[in-house]
Amino acid sequence: MTDKQILLIYDKECPACHFYCQIVRIRQSVGELVLIDARENPEVLQEITAEGLDIDQGMVLKMDGLLYYGADAIHLLALLSSRSGLFNRLNYWLFSSKKISDILYPILRSCRNVLLKLLGKTKINNLKQGGNERF
């Protein structure tokens, strides 16, 4: 990881998460956004787990050595966004407010969990909670 790299750790098996991560753009002056599939990178997941963050319930953004989780991650991404294209402008408009991010993120996470349950996906379960294998 270089100084200008910003890591976005998410569940690539989630179609909604994957779509969001593929389309979100940050300003070039901020750095390079590197997408990391939590299922394929146990070494990155170790740091997230050590912080007690449940990757099944929120994406993680790592910037300048700090971890931003869930609503904080999507809020920071909105602030860093390039605002090029309709999606990125909408993303900025919705999530540049910390208060709105805190309200909308749990709703979006619930929709994501329903989607993954319908698709029969298993959880990553990085916190190794018993009986927590399926959505």
Side-chain angles (χ1 to χ4, degrees):
M1 182 173 147
T2 68
D3 289 343
K4 294 296 253 173
Q5 284 186 327
I6 299 166
L7 305 181
L8 180 55
I9 303 100
Y10 73 105
D11 183 359
K12 191 175 180 180
E13 285 191 18
C14 169
C17 301
H18 187 62
F19 173 78
Y20 176 84
C21 291
Q22 291 296 311
I23 201 164
V24 71
R25 298 286 177 258
I26 62 171
R27 295 185 309 274
Q28 286 184 341
S29 61
V30 175
E32 174 191 8
L33 186 63
V34 178
L35 303 179
I36 297 180
D37 180 3
R39 293 179 188 269
E40 306 259 327
N41 292 280
E43 60 282 348
V44 174
L45 205 53
Q46 283 179 345
E47 182 178 5
I48 292 166
T49 302
E51 291 296 318
L53 303 175
D54 185 350
I55 197 69
D56 290 313
Q57 297 304 317
M59 64 176 67
V60 175
L61 190 71
K62 183 175 182 181
M63 181 175 163
D64 297 329
L66 299 174
L67 298 179
Y68 300 87
Y69 178 66
D72 292 330
I74 206 164
H75 171 66
L76 184 55
L77 276 171
L79 296 177
L80 301 173
S81 72
S82 69
R83 299 182 209 35
S84 63
L86 179 62
F87 176 83
N88 286 291
R89 284 192 299 274
L90 180 63
N91 184 56
Y92 177 78
W93 183 75
L94 284 173
F95 297 108
S96 63
S97 163
K98 175 78 171 97
K99 190 175 192 175
I100 293 174
S101 296
D102 288 342
I103 293 168
L104 287 180
Y105 194 83
I107 296 167
L108 294 173
R109 182 183 60 223
S110 294
C111 293
R112 169 198 184 266
N113 290 347
V114 169
L115 172 65
L116 293 178
K117 184 174 186 73
L118 291 172
L119 293 174
K121 298 292 183 181
T122 59
K123 290 185 177 182
I124 296 171
N125 196 16
N126 64 305
L127 299 180
K128 306 293 184 222
Q129 299 168 337
N132 192 34
E133 289 78 33
R134 292 210 159 290
F135 284 96

